[in-house]
Amino acid sequence: VEYTLHSPHGEEGYSGAVDAVATYRLVQGEKGVALRLEMACRLAQGESRSTPVNMANHAYFNLSGEGGDVRDHVLMVRADKYTPNDDTN
């Protein structure tokens, strides 16, 4: 599934137009099927103004189907850096 967004110059007070894409894919991994999210953002074609962008994902999925507890899910993050948390957050 692919979602796209065109944010024109001046929208929400930001300078420069931006095109953003979020793509969700089911991929076969070593431990079964995994959901992969790819996010990309670029200046719109012909845009010369720089624009601050902070892409964030706020999607929540129950990967076990109907019922189940999200605390039983296992998450693998392939990243060089991340913000760790504990049982309180």
Coordinates of all heavy atoms in Angstrom, one line a residue:
V1 N 0.9 -1.2 0.0 CA 0.0 0.0 0.0 C 0.9 1.2 0.0 O 1.9 1.3 0.8 CB -0.9 0.0 1.2 CG1 -1.7 1.3 1.3 CG2 -1.8 -1.2 1.3
E2 N 0.6 2.2 -0.8 CA 1.4 3.4 -0.9 C 0.5 4.6 -0.7 O -0.5 4.8 -1.3 CB 2.1 3.5 -2.3 CG 3.0 4.7 -2.4 CD 3.9 4.6 -3.6 OE1 4.8 3.9 -3.7 OE2 3.5 5.3 -4.6
Y3 N 0.9 5.5 0.2 CA 0.2 6.8 0.5 C 1.1 7.9 0.0 O 2.4 7.9 0.3 CB -0.1 6.9 2.0 CG -1.0 5.9 2.5 CD1 -0.4 4.7 3.2 CD2 -2.3 6.0 2.4 CE1 -1.3 3.8 3.7 CE2 -3.2 5.0 2.9 CZ -2.6 3.9 3.5 OH -3.5 2.9 4.0
T4 N 0.6 8.9 -0.6 CA 1.4 10.0 -1.1 C 0.7 11.3 -0.6 O -0.5 11.4 -0.3 CB 1.4 10.1 -2.6 OG1 0.1 10.2 -3.2 CG2 2.1 8.8 -3.2
L5 N 1.5 12.3 -0.4 CA 1.1 13.6 0.0 C 1.9 14.7 -0.7 O 3.1 14.6 -0.8 CB 1.3 13.8 1.5 CG 1.1 15.2 2.0 CD1 -0.4 15.6 2.0 CD2 1.7 15.4 3.4
H6 N 1.2 15.7 -1.3 CA 1.9 16.9 -1.8 C 1.5 18.0 -0.9 O 0.3 18.3 -0.7 CB 1.4 17.2 -3.3 CG 2.0 18.5 -3.8 ND1 3.3 18.6 -4.2 CD2 1.4 19.7 -3.9 CE1 3.5 19.8 -4.5 NE2 2.4 20.5 -4.4
S7 N 2.5 18.6 -0.3 CA 2.3 19.8 0.6 C 2.8 21.0 -0.2 O 4.0 21.2 -0.4 CB 3.1 19.6 1.8 OG 3.0 20.7 2.7
P8 N 1.9 21.9 -0.6 CA 2.4 23.0 -1.4 C 3.1 24.1 -0.6 O 3.0 24.1 0.6 CB 1.0 23.6 -2.0 CG 0.0 23.1 -1.0 CD 0.5 21.8 -0.5
H9 N 3.8 24.9 -1.3 CA 4.5 26.1 -0.6 C 3.5 26.9 0.2 O 2.4 27.2 -0.2 CB 5.2 27.0 -1.7 CG 5.6 28.3 -1.2 ND1 6.5 28.5 -0.2 CD2 5.1 29.5 -1.4 CE1 6.6 29.8 0.1 NE2 5.8 30.4 -0.7
G10 N 3.9 27.1 1.4 CA 3.1 27.9 2.3 C 2.1 27.1 3.2 O 1.5 27.7 4.1
E11 N 1.9 25.9 2.9 CA 0.9 25.1 3.7 C 1.5 25.0 5.1 O 2.6 24.7 5.4 CB 0.8 23.7 3.1 CG -0.3 22.8 3.9 CD -0.5 21.5 3.2 OE1 0.4 20.7 3.1 OE2 -1.6 21.3 2.7
E12 N 0.6 25.3 6.1 CA 0.9 25.3 7.5 C 2.1 26.2 7.8 O 2.8 26.0 8.8 CB 1.2 23.9 8.0 CG -0.1 23.0 7.9 CD 0.0 21.7 8.5 OE1 0.8 21.5 9.5 OE2 -0.6 20.7 8.1
G13 N 2.4 27.2 7.0 CA 3.4 28.2 7.2 C 4.8 27.7 6.8 O 5.8 28.5 7.0
Y14 N 5.0 26.6 6.2 CA 6.3 26.1 5.8 C 6.6 26.7 4.4 O 5.8 26.8 3.5 CB 6.4 24.6 5.8 CG 6.4 24.0 7.1 CD1 5.2 23.4 7.6 CD2 7.5 24.0 7.9 CE1 5.2 22.9 8.9 CE2 7.5 23.5 9.2 CZ 6.3 22.9 9.7 OH 6.3 22.4 10.9
S15 N 7.9 27.0 4.2 CA 8.4 27.4 2.9 C 8.7 26.2 2.0 O 9.1 25.2 2.5 CB 9.6 28.3 3.0 OG 10.7 27.5 3.6
G16 N 8.5 26.3 0.7 CA 8.8 25.2 -0.2 C 7.7 24.1 -0.2 O 7.1 23.8 0.7
A17 N 7.6 23.6 -1.4 CA 6.7 22.5 -1.6 C 7.4 21.1 -1.4 O 8.5 21.0 -1.8 CB 6.1 22.5 -3.0
V18 N 6.7 20.2 -0.9 CA 7.3 18.8 -0.5 C 6.3 17.7 -1.0 O 5.1 17.8 -0.9 CB 7.5 18.7 1.0 CG1 7.9 17.3 1.4 CG2 8.5 19.7 1.5
D19 N 6.9 16.7 -1.6 CA 6.2 15.5 -1.9 C 6.7 14.4 -1.0 O 7.9 14.1 -0.8 CB 6.5 15.0 -3.4 CG 5.9 16.0 -4.4 OD1 4.8 16.5 -4.1 OD2 6.5 16.2 -5.4
A20 N 5.7 13.7 -0.3 CA 6.1 12.6 0.6 C 5.4 11.3 0.2 O 4.3 11.4 -0.3 CB 5.7 13.0 2.0
V21 N 6.0 10.2 0.5 CA 5.5 8.9 0.2 C 5.7 8.0 1.4 O 6.8 7.9 1.9 CB 6.2 8.3 -1.1 CG1 5.6 6.9 -1.4 CG2 6.0 9.2 -2.3
A22 N 4.7 7.2 1.8 CA 4.9 6.2 2.8 C 4.4 4.9 2.1 O 3.3 4.8 1.6 CB 4.0 6.5 4.0
T23 N 5.2 3.8 2.1 CA 4.9 2.6 1.5 C 5.0 1.5 2.5 O 5.9 1.3 3.2 CB 5.9 2.3 0.4 OG1 5.9 3.3 -0.6 CG2 5.5 1.0 -0.4
Y24 N 3.9 0.7 2.6 CA 3.8 -0.5 3.5 C 3.9 -1.7 2.6 O 3.1 -1.8 1.7 CB 2.5 -0.5 4.3 CG 2.4 0.6 5.3 CD1 1.9 1.8 5.0 CD2 2.8 0.4 6.6 CE1 1.8 2.8 5.9 CE2 2.7 1.4 7.6 CZ 2.2 2.6 7.2 OH 2.1 3.6 8.2
R25 N 4.8 -2.7 3.0 CA 4.9 -3.9 2.2 C 5.0 -5.1 3.2 O 5.6 -5.0 4.2 CB 6.2 -3.9 1.4 CG 6.2 -2.8 0.4 CD 7.4 -2.9 -0.5 NE 7.2 -1.7 -1.4 CZ 8.1 -1.3 -2.2 NH1 9.2 -1.9 -2.3 NH2 7.8 -0.3 -3.0
L26 N 4.4 -6.2 2.8 CA 4.6 -7.5 3.4 C 5.7 -8.2 2.7 O 5.7 -8.3 1.5 CB 3.3 -8.3 3.4 CG 2.1 -7.8 4.2 CD1 0.9 -8.7 3.9 CD2 2.5 -7.8 5.7
V27 N 6.8 -8.5 3.5 CA 7.9 -9.2 2.9 C 8.2 -10.5 3.7 O 7.9 -10.6 4.9 CB 9.2 -8.3 3.0 CG1 9.0 -7.0 2.1 CG2 9.5 -7.8 4.4
Q28 N 8.7 -11.4 3.0 CA 9.1 -12.7 3.6 C 10.5 -12.6 4.2 O 11.4 -12.2 3.6 CB 9.1 -13.8 2.5 CG 9.4 -15.2 3.1 CD 8.4 -15.7 4.0 OE1 7.2 -15.6 3.8 NE2 8.7 -16.3 5.2
G29 N 10.6 -12.8 5.5 CA 11.8 -12.8 6.2 C 12.2 -14.1 6.7 O 11.6 -15.1 6.5
E30 N 13.4 -14.2 7.5 CA 13.8 -15.4 8.0 C 12.9 -16.0 9.0 O 12.8 -17.3 9.1 CB 15.2 -15.2 8.7 CG 16.3 -14.9 7.8 CD 17.6 -14.6 8.5 OE1 17.7 -15.0 9.7 OE2 18.5 -14.0 7.9
K31 N 12.1 -15.2 9.7 CA 11.2 -15.7 10.7 C 9.7 -15.6 10.3 O 8.9 -15.5 11.1 CB 11.4 -14.9 12.0 CG 12.8 -15.2 12.6 CD 13.0 -14.5 13.9 CE 14.4 -14.7 14.5 NZ 14.6 -14.1 15.8
G32 N 9.5 -15.5 9.0 CA 8.1 -15.4 8.5 C 7.9 -14.1 7.8 O 8.8 -13.3 7.5
V33 N 6.6 -13.7 7.7 CA 6.2 -12.5 7.0 C 6.4 -11.3 7.9 O 6.1 -11.4 9.1 CB 4.8 -12.6 6.5 CG1 4.4 -11.3 5.8 CG2 4.7 -13.8 5.5
A34 N 6.9 -10.2 7.4 CA 7.1 -9.0 8.1 C 6.5 -7.8 7.4 O 6.4 -7.8 6.2 CB 8.6 -8.7 8.3
L35 N 6.1 -6.8 8.1 CA 5.6 -5.6 7.6 C 6.7 -4.6 7.5 O 7.3 -4.3 8.5 CB 4.4 -5.1 8.4 CG 3.8 -3.8 8.0 CD1 3.1 -4.0 6.6 CD2 2.8 -3.3 9.0
R36 N 7.0 -4.1 6.3 CA 8.0 -3.1 6.2 C 7.4 -1.7 5.8 O 6.6 -1.6 5.0 CB 9.0 -3.5 5.1 CG 10.1 -2.5 4.8 CD 11.0 -2.8 3.7 NE 11.6 -4.2 3.8 CZ 12.2 -4.8 2.9 NH1 12.4 -4.2 1.7 NH2 12.7 -6.0 3.1
L37 N 7.9 -0.7 6.5 CA 7.5 0.7 6.2 C 8.7 1.4 5.6 O 9.7 1.5 6.2 CB 7.0 1.4 7.4 CG 6.8 2.9 7.3 CD1 5.7 3.3 6.3 CD2 6.4 3.5 8.7
E38 N 8.5 2.0 4.4 CA 9.5 2.9 3.8 C 8.9 4.3 3.7 O 7.8 4.4 3.1 CB 9.9 2.3 2.4 CG 10.4 0.9 2.5 CD 10.5 0.3 1.1 OE1 10.1 0.9 0.1 OE2 11.0 -0.9 1.1
M39 N 9.6 5.3 4.2 CA 9.1 6.6 4.0 C 10.2 7.5 3.3 O 11.4 7.3 3.5 CB 8.9 7.2 5.4 CG 7.8 6.5 6.1 SD 7.1 7.2 7.7 CE 8.4 8.2 8.4
A40 N 9.7 8.3 2.4 CA 10.6 9.2 1.6 C 10.0 10.5 1.5 O 8.8 10.7 1.4 CB 10.9 8.6 0.3
C41 N 10.8 11.5 1.4 CA 10.4 12.9 1.3 C 11.4 13.6 0.4 O 12.6 13.4 0.5 CB 10.3 13.5 2.7 SG 9.6 15.2 2.7
R42 N 10.9 14.5 -0.5 CA 11.7 15.2 -1.4 C 11.1 16.6 -1.7 O 9.9 16.7 -1.6 CB 12.1 14.5 -2.6 CG 10.9 14.3 -3.6 CD 11.4 13.5 -4.8 NE 10.3 13.4 -5.8 CZ 9.3 12.6 -5.7 NH1 9.2 11.8 -4.7 NH2 8.4 12.6 -6.6
L43 N 11.9 17.5 -2.1 CA 11.3 18.8 -2.5 C 10.6 18.5 -3.8 O 10.9 17.7 -4.6 CB 12.5 19.8 -2.8 CG 13.2 20.4 -1.6 CD1 14.3 21.3 -2.1 CD2 12.2 21.1 -0.7
A44 N 9.4 19.2 -4.0 CA 8.6 19.0 -5.2 C 9.4 19.4 -6.4 O 10.3 20.3 -6.3 CB 7.3 19.8 -5.0
Q45 N 9.0 18.9 -7.5 CA 9.7 19.2 -8.8 C 9.7 20.7 -9.0 O 8.6 21.3 -8.9 CB 9.1 18.4 -9.9 CG 9.8 18.6 -11.2 CD 9.2 17.7 -12.3 OE1 8.3 17.0 -12.1 NE2 9.8 17.9 -13.5
G46 N 10.8 21.3 -9.3 CA 10.9 22.7 -9.6 C 11.0 23.6 -8.4 O 11.1 24.8 -8.5
E47 N 10.9 23.0 -7.2 CA 11.0 23.8 -5.9 C 12.4 24.1 -5.6 O 13.3 23.2 -5.6 CB 10.3 23.0 -4.8 CG 10.3 23.8 -3.5 CD 9.5 25.1 -3.6 OE1 8.3 25.1 -3.8 OE2 10.2 26.1 -3.4
S48 N 12.7 25.3 -5.2 CA 14.1 25.7 -4.8 C 14.2 26.1 -3.4 O 15.3 26.3 -2.9 CB 14.6 26.9 -5.7 OG 13.8 28.0 -5.5
R49 N 13.1 26.4 -2.7 CA 13.2 26.8 -1.3 C 13.4 25.5 -0.4 O 12.7 24.6 -0.5 CB 11.9 27.5 -0.9 CG 11.6 28.8 -1.5 CD 10.2 29.2 -1.3 NE 9.3 28.6 -2.2 CZ 8.6 29.2 -3.1 NH1 8.5 30.5 -3.1 NH2 7.8 28.5 -3.9
S50 N 14.4 25.6 0.5 CA 14.6 24.5 1.5 C 13.4 24.5 2.5 O 12.8 25.6 2.8 CB 15.9 24.7 2.2 OG 16.0 25.9 2.9
T51 N 13.1 23.3 3.0 CA 11.9 23.2 3.8 C 12.3 22.2 5.0 O 12.8 21.1 4.7 CB 10.7 22.6 3.0 OG1 10.5 23.5 1.9 CG2 9.5 22.5 3.9
P52 N 12.0 22.5 6.2 CA 12.2 21.5 7.3 C 11.2 20.4 7.2 O 10.0 20.7 7.0 CB 12.1 22.4 8.6 CG 11.2 23.5 8.2 CD 11.5 23.8 6.7
V53 N 11.6 19.2 7.4 CA 10.7 18.0 7.3 C 11.1 17.0 8.4 O 12.3 16.7 8.5 CB 10.8 17.3 5.9 CG1 9.9 16.1 5.9 CG2 10.3 18.3 4.8
N54 N 10.1 16.5 9.1 CA 10.4 15.5 10.1 C 9.3 14.4 10.0 O 8.2 14.6 10.4 CB 10.3 16.1 11.5 CG 10.6 15.1 12.6 OD1 11.1 14.0 12.3 ND2 10.5 15.5 13.9
M55 N 9.7 13.4 9.2 CA 8.7 12.3 8.9 C 8.6 11.5 10.2 O 9.6 11.1 10.8 CB 9.2 11.5 7.8 CG 9.4 12.2 6.5 SD 8.0 12.4 5.4 CE 7.7 10.7 5.0
A56 N 7.4 11.1 10.6 CA 7.1 10.3 11.7 C 6.0 9.3 11.4 O 5.1 9.6 10.6 CB 6.7 11.1 12.9
N57 N 6.0 8.1 11.9 CA 5.0 7.1 11.7 C 4.2 6.9 13.0 O 4.8 6.7 14.0 CB 5.7 5.8 11.3 CG 4.7 4.7 11.2 OD1 3.5 4.9 10.8 ND2 5.1 3.5 11.5
H58 N 2.9 7.0 12.9 CA 2.1 6.9 14.1 C 1.0 5.8 13.8 O -0.1 5.9 14.3 CB 1.4 8.2 14.4 CG 2.4 9.2 14.8 ND1 3.0 9.2 16.0 CD2 2.8 10.3 14.2 CE1 3.8 10.3 16.1 NE2 3.7 10.9 15.0
A59 N 1.3 4.8 12.9 CA 0.4 3.7 12.6 C 0.5 2.6 13.7 O 1.6 2.3 14.2 CB 0.7 3.1 11.3
Y60 N -0.6 2.0 14.0 CA -0.7 1.0 15.0 C -1.4 -0.2 14.4 O -2.5 -0.1 13.8 CB -1.4 1.4 16.3 CG -0.7 2.6 16.9 CD1 -1.1 3.9 16.7 CD2 0.4 2.4 17.8 CE1 -0.4 4.9 17.3 CE2 1.1 3.4 18.3 CZ 0.6 4.7 18.1 OH 1.3 5.8 18.6
F61 N -0.8 -1.4 14.5 CA -1.4 -2.6 13.9 C -1.5 -3.7 14.9 O -0.5 -3.9 15.7 CB -0.6 -3.1 12.7 CG -0.4 -2.1 11.6 CD1 0.7 -1.2 11.5 CD2 -1.4 -2.0 10.6 CE1 0.8 -0.3 10.5 CE2 -1.3 -1.0 9.6 CZ -0.2 -0.2 9.5
N62 N -2.5 -4.5 14.9 CA -2.6 -5.7 15.6 C -2.1 -6.8 14.7 O -2.9 -7.3 13.8 CB -4.0 -6.0 16.1 CG -4.1 -7.3 16.9 OD1 -3.1 -8.1 16.9 ND2 -5.2 -7.5 17.6
L63 N -0.9 -7.3 14.8 CA -0.3 -8.2 13.8 C -0.8 -9.6 14.0 O -0.5 -10.5 13.2 CB 1.2 -8.1 13.9 CG 1.7 -6.7 13.6 CD1 3.2 -6.7 13.7 CD2 1.3 -6.2 12.2
S64 N -1.4 -9.9 15.1 CA -1.9 -11.3 15.4 C -3.3 -11.6 14.9 O -3.8 -12.6 15.1 CB -1.8 -11.6 16.9 OG -2.6 -10.8 17.6
G65 N -3.9 -10.6 14.3 CA -5.3 -10.8 13.8 C -6.3 -10.4 14.9 O -6.0 -9.5 15.8
E66 N -7.4 -11.0 14.9 CA -8.4 -10.7 15.9 C -8.0 -11.1 17.3 O -7.5 -12.2 17.5 CB -9.7 -11.4 15.6 CG -10.9 -10.6 15.9 CD -12.2 -11.3 15.3 OE1 -12.3 -11.5 14.1 OE2 -13.0 -11.7 16.2
G67 N -8.2 -10.2 18.3 CA -7.8 -10.5 19.7 C -6.3 -10.4 19.8 O -5.6 -9.8 19.1
G68 N -5.8 -11.0 20.9 CA -4.4 -11.0 21.1 C -4.0 -9.8 21.9 O -4.7 -8.8 22.1
D69 N -2.7 -9.7 22.3 CA -2.2 -8.6 23.1 C -1.0 -8.1 22.4 O 0.0 -8.8 22.1 CB -1.8 -9.1 24.5 CG -1.5 -8.0 25.5 OD1 -0.9 -7.0 25.1 OD2 -1.9 -8.1 26.7
V70 N -0.9 -6.8 22.2 CA 0.2 -6.2 21.5 C 1.5 -6.4 22.2 O 2.6 -6.4 21.6 CB -0.1 -4.7 21.2 CG1 -0.1 -3.9 22.5 CG2 0.9 -4.1 20.2
R71 N 1.4 -6.6 23.5 CA 2.7 -6.8 24.3 C 3.3 -8.1 24.0 O 4.4 -8.4 24.4 CB 2.4 -6.7 25.8 CG 2.0 -5.2 26.2 CD 1.5 -5.1 27.6 NE 0.2 -5.8 27.6 CZ -0.6 -5.7 28.7 NH1 -0.3 -5.0 29.7 NH2 -1.8 -6.3 28.6
D72 N 2.6 -9.0 23.3 CA 3.2 -10.3 22.9 C 3.9 -10.2 21.5 O 4.5 -11.1 21.1 CB 2.1 -11.4 22.8 CG 1.5 -11.7 24.1 OD1 2.2 -11.6 25.2 OD2 0.3 -12.1 24.2
H73 N 3.8 -9.0 20.9 CA 4.5 -8.8 19.6 C 6.0 -8.6 19.8 O 6.4 -8.2 20.8 CB 3.9 -7.6 18.9 CG 2.5 -7.8 18.4 ND1 1.9 -6.9 17.6 CD2 1.6 -8.7 18.7 CE1 0.6 -7.3 17.4 NE2 0.4 -8.4 18.0
V74 N 6.7 -9.0 18.7 CA 8.2 -8.8 18.7 C 8.5 -7.8 17.6 O 8.0 -7.9 16.5 CB 8.9 -10.1 18.5 CG1 10.4 -9.9 18.3 CG2 8.6 -11.1 19.6
L75 N 9.2 -6.8 17.9 CA 9.6 -5.7 17.0 C 11.1 -5.7 16.7 O 11.9 -5.7 17.7 CB 9.1 -4.4 17.5 CG 9.5 -3.1 16.7 CD1 8.8 -3.1 15.3 CD2 9.3 -1.9 17.5
M76 N 11.5 -5.7 15.4 CA 12.9 -5.5 15.1 C 13.0 -4.2 14.4 O 12.3 -3.9 13.4 CB 13.3 -6.6 14.1 CG 14.8 -6.4 13.7 SD 15.5 -7.7 12.6 CE 14.2 -8.5 11.9
V77 N 13.9 -3.4 14.9 CA 14.1 -2.0 14.3 C 15.5 -2.1 13.7 O 16.5 -2.2 14.4 CB 14.0 -0.9 15.3 CG1 14.4 0.4 14.7 CG2 12.7 -0.9 16.0
R78 N 15.6 -1.9 12.4 CA 16.9 -1.9 11.7 C 17.3 -0.4 11.6 O 16.9 0.2 10.6 CB 16.8 -2.5 10.3 CG 16.6 -4.0 10.4 CD 16.6 -4.7 9.1 NE 16.3 -6.1 9.3 CZ 16.3 -6.9 8.3 NH1 16.6 -6.5 7.1 NH2 16.0 -8.2 8.5
A79 N 18.0 0.1 12.6 CA 18.4 1.5 12.6 C 19.8 1.6 13.3 O 20.1 0.8 14.2 CB 17.4 2.3 13.3
D80 N 20.5 2.6 12.9 CA 21.8 2.9 13.6 C 21.6 3.5 14.9 O 22.4 3.4 15.9 CB 22.6 3.8 12.7 CG 23.1 3.2 11.4 OD1 23.2 1.9 11.4 OD2 23.2 3.9 10.4
K81 N 20.5 4.2 15.1 CA 20.2 4.9 16.4 C 18.7 4.8 16.6 O 17.9 4.7 15.7 CB 20.5 6.4 16.3 CG 22.0 6.7 16.0 CD 22.3 8.1 15.9 CE 23.7 8.4 15.7 NZ 24.0 9.8 15.5
Y82 N 18.3 4.8 17.9 CA 16.9 4.8 18.3 C 16.8 5.4 19.7 O 17.8 5.5 20.4 CB 16.3 3.4 18.3 CG 16.9 2.4 19.3 CD1 16.3 2.2 20.5 CD2 18.1 1.8 19.0 CE1 16.9 1.4 21.4 CE2 18.7 0.9 19.9 CZ 18.1 0.7 21.2 OH 18.6 -0.1 22.1
T83 N 15.6 5.7 20.1 CA 15.3 6.2 21.5 C 14.8 5.0 22.3 O 13.7 4.6 22.1 CB 14.3 7.3 21.5 OG1 14.8 8.3 20.6 CG2 14.1 7.9 22.9
P84 N 15.6 4.5 23.3 CA 15.2 3.4 24.1 C 14.1 3.8 25.0 O 13.9 5.0 25.4 CB 16.4 3.0 24.8 CG 17.3 4.2 24.9 CD 17.0 5.0 23.6
N85 N 13.3 2.8 25.5 CA 12.3 3.1 26.5 C 12.3 1.9 27.5 O 13.0 1.0 27.3 CB 10.9 3.3 25.9 CG 10.4 2.0 25.2 OD1 11.0 1.0 25.2 ND2 9.2 2.2 24.5
D86 N 11.4 2.0 28.5 CA 11.3 1.0 29.5 C 9.9 0.7 29.8 O 9.0 1.2 29.1 CB 12.1 1.4 30.8 CG 11.7 2.7 31.4 OD1 10.5 3.1 31.2 OD2 12.5 3.4 32.0
D87 N 9.6 0.1 30.9 CA 8.2 -0.3 31.2 C 7.3 0.9 31.5 O 6.1 0.8 31.6 CB 8.1 -1.3 32.4 CG 8.7 -2.6 32.0 OD1 8.8 -2.9 30.8 OD2 9.1 -3.4 33.0
T88 N 7.9 2.1 31.8 CA 7.1 3.2 32.1 C 6.7 4.1 30.9 O 6.0 5.0 31.1 CB 7.9 4.1 33.2 OG1 9.0 4.6 32.6 CG2 8.2 3.3 34.4
N89 N 7.3 3.9 29.8 CA 7.0 4.7 28.6 C 7.0 3.9 27.3 O 7.4 2.8 27.2 CB 7.9 5.9 28.5 CG 9.3 5.5 28.3 OD1 9.7 4.4 28.0 ND2 10.2 6.5 28.6

